[in-house]
Amino acid sequence: MTSDNTAADPSAQGPLVGILGGMGPAATVDFYSKLIAATPAATDQQHLRVMIWADPTVPDRSQAIVGHGEDPTPKLVEGAQQLKAAGAAFYVAACNGSHAFLPRVREQVDLEYVSMIEVTAEHLSALPYVKAAGLLATDATLTAGLYQDSLAEYGVKPIVPEAADQHTVMEAIYAVKAGDLGPELRVSLVRVAQSLVEKGADVIVAACTEIPLAMTTEESPRPLVDPAVLLANRVVTKANSL
Amino acid sequence: MTSDNTAADPSAQGPLVGILGGMGPAATVDFYSKLIAATPAATDQQHLRVMIWADPTVPDRSQAIVGHGEDPTPKLVEGAQQLKAAGAAFYVAACNGSHAFLPRVREQVDLEYVSMIEVTAEHLSALPYVKAAGLLATDATLTAGLYQDSLAEYGVKPIVPEAADQHTVMEAIYAVKAGDLGPELRVSLVRVAQSLVEKGADVIVAACTEIPLAMTTEESPRPLVDPAVLLANRVVTKANSL
């Protein structure tokens, strides 16, 4: 926001940022918190105008990617349409798995989105010490190759957990969603991150929005990169440039 | 949600709950967190469908109530219209001060809202030990008499801070909004709450959405009643009854 952009001038209210959320609800809260924290503002009126479409009934993205579930695309299209109808300038999705479906949503809804995954890959490629990135993500996000493809495009080597470790990651994610992550599972997740470091990871990417709720930056054996924070920063920059 | 109401049946997706937020953004995050916590759910799909219209550019409710500022009603009407257009079954506002304007919004937008203030007064009137309630609120919420009127209607005596103490309350609220509440101000706020108890308050009502972010239930000298939590519970009950 520029200093001209105050509440005194109602026309200078800035663009509406759309958030496709509810996947899950806790991750949506987390992303909106990060967006608020990323916004330089001292009063309410200096914050971004945001519309959050939080539909937790969007069919499970993970199940759909591995081929067992209902296609979430129609519900995501509905959400993007609602955001567009309300006047959003662009939107973001606070759910990694949903990114597998966003290109198809884009074909049906004429509203630009900013990819959390691409923002992350771009960010990592700019860090001089990062040659390889360890991925803590859902089975589905890994199966869809979302981060692997984007990282490879930006010249960063993706490193994924062994099968047994990946099982632990999934357990932790579903425990966060259910609101009952215990201390043992927290430690197990740190152990998985450590195994990624042993395989060469220079950073750990919290490539599922529930991961930062399960492992803190202080617990991670290497810098924990939170794509939601990177996306929040990008949203602020982009909104203020419009 | 009943057990029939699963993602397997896309028509059984439940009502859309509207949230008029952004006043301030942190209080909106706080309310949505409380709504999620109030919802009995083990998976994403069992959570409520929510649309949040978070427009922080709504003119300052406090300034408008005390007669110095732009009328926030048009912006609130815009938000309520957006919520209605998207199909909300009803809406709530996660800002006490805004309740001074909601009756006027209701005249212009045919969409029911649930008053956080009335829910609170009703709740307190049902507690056998509560004869009087101390109010920690903005100048404006007190000037508008929002809680005083509603509590009186339900037979609970409202108790407000002395002028100097009220100044401390306002300082704390604006510090939370600016993200820089220090420890001294936290202690000062506890002192204000204690003076309300000395004047007979059986409970302390966190009658501004920023107050629970400034004083915890553990710090409060009497039970700290959080209207946002009461509203969240009511939203869940109401949504599940529709």
Side-chain angles (χ1 to χ4, degrees):
Chain A
M1 299 279 164
T2 68
S3 56
D4 297 335
N5 204 352
T6 66
D9 176 4
S11 67
Q13 60 179 13
L16 179 69
V17 174
I19 299 175
L20 209 49
M23 307 174 282
T28 305
V29 164
D30 186 61
F31 178 71
Y32 188 34
S33 300
K34 285 165 182 166
L35 183 57
I36 293 168
T39 309
T43 65
D44 288 359
Q45 287 73 20
Q46 290 166 347
H47 278 277
L48 294 171
R49 294 171 66 235
V50 168
M51 169 171 159
I52 302 176
W53 181 259
D55 185 355
T57 68
V58 173
D60 192 298
R61 285 69 60 198
S62 296
Q63 294 295 320
I65 289 171
V66 298
H68 303 318
E70 202 186 330
D71 181 7
T73 309
K75 286 263 188 178
L76 296 172
V77 165
E78 185 199 347
Q81 279 167 338
Q82 292 279 9
L83 294 170
K84 183 179 162 66
F90 64 92
Y91 76 95
V92 296
C95 165
N96 285 284
S98 72
H99 282 69
F101 306 93
L102 295 185
R104 272 186 271 162
V105 173
R106 187 66 184 83
E107 286 164 16
Q108 294 177 63
V109 185
D110 185 21
L111 181 63
E112 184 197 356
Y113 69 91
V114 179
S115 161
M116 176 154 64
I117 294 167
E118 201 184 328
V119 166
T120 303
E122 198 185 328
H123 171 86
L124 291 178
S125 72
L127 294 178
Y129 72 90
V130 178
K131 300 277 175 286
L135 299 175
L136 294 179
T138 60
D139 292 349
T141 297
L142 295 182
T143 301
L146 296 171
Y147 277 90
Q148 296 96 311
D149 293 352
S150 207
L151 287 171
E153 223 171 277
Y154 280 87
V156 176
K157 186 185 168 194
I159 298 179
V160 302
E162 305 289 340
D165 285 350
Q166 181 57 27
H167 184 75
T168 301
V169 175
M170 287 304 283
E171 271 191 298
I173 290 168
Y174 279 106
V176 170
K177 282 183 191 288
D180 66 356
L181 181 79
E184 284 107 29
L185 209 41
R186 291 190 84 92
V187 172
S188 300
L189 193 62
V190 171
R191 209 170 289 129
V192 174
Q194 179 56 28
S195 77
L196 295 173
V197 171
E198 283 156 15
K199 289 165 75 181
D202 302 304
V203 288
I204 302 296
V205 181
C208 168
T209 43
E210 266 78 12
I211 294 290
L213 308 175
M215 182 171 67
T216 65
T217 47
E218 290 77 13
E219 288 166 330
S220 176
R222 285 290 180 283
L224 184 66
V225 173
D226 183 349
V229 170
L230 301 179
L231 182 63
N233 291 336
R234 178 65 64 88
V235 165
V236 172
T237 311
K238 187 174 170 72
N240 288 345
S241 75
L242 292 177
Chain B
M1 299 282 163
T2 67
S3 56
D4 296 337
N5 203 349
T6 65
D9 177 4
S11 67
Q13 60 178 15
L16 179 69
V17 174
I19 299 176
L20 209 49
M23 308 173 282
T28 305
V29 164
D30 185 62
F31 178 72
Y32 188 34
S33 301
K34 286 166 182 166
L35 183 58
I36 293 168
T39 308
T43 66
D44 288 358
Q45 288 72 21
Q46 291 165 347
H47 277 277
L48 294 171
R49 293 170 67 236
V50 169
M51 168 170 160
I52 302 175
W53 181 261
D55 185 355
T57 68
V58 173
D60 192 298
R61 286 68 62 197
S62 297
Q63 293 296 320
I65 290 172
V66 297
H68 303 318
E70 203 186 330
D71 181 8
T73 310
K75 286 263 187 179
L76 296 172
V77 165
E78 185 198 346
Q81 279 167 339
Q82 292 280 7
L83 294 169
K84 183 178 162 66
F90 64 92
Y91 77 94
V92 294
C95 165
N96 285 283
S98 73
H99 281 68
F101 307 93
L102 296 185
R104 273 185 270 163
V105 173
R106 187 68 182 83
E107 286 164 17
Q108 295 178 61
V109 185
D110 186 20
L111 182 63
E112 185 196 356
Y113 68 91
V114 179
S115 160
M116 175 155 64
I117 293 168
E118 201 185 327
V119 166
T120 302
E122 198 185 329
H123 171 85
L124 291 178
S125 73
L127 294 178
Y129 72 89
V130 178
K131 299 279 175 285
L135 300 175
L136 294 179
T138 60
D139 293 348
T141 297
L142 295 182
T143 300
L146 296 171
Y147 277 90
Q148 295 97 310
D149 293 353
S150 207
L151 287 170
E153 224 173 275
Y154 280 88
V156 176
K157 185 185 169 195
I159 298 180
V160 303
E162 306 289 340
D165 285 351
Q166 181 57 28
H167 185 74
T168 301
V169 175
M170 287 304 284
E171 271 191 299
I173 291 168
Y174 280 106
V176 170
K177 283 182 191 289
D180 66 358
L181 181 78
E184 284 108 29
L185 210 41
R186 292 190 84 92
V187 171
S188 300
L189 193 61
V190 171
R191 210 171 288 131
V192 174
Q194 179 57 27
S195 76
L196 294 173
V197 171
E198 283 156 15
K199 289 165 76 180
D202 302 305
V203 289
I204 302 296
V205 181
C208 168
T209 43
E210 265 78 12
I211 294 291
L213 308 176
M215 180 170 69
T216 64
T217 48
E218 291 76 13
E219 288 166 329
S220 176
R222 285 290 180 282
L224 185 67
V225 174
D226 183 349
V229 170
L230 301 178
L231 182 63
N233 291 336
R234 177 66 64 86
V235 164
V236 171
T237 311
K238 187 175 171 73
N240 289 346
S241 75
L242 291 178

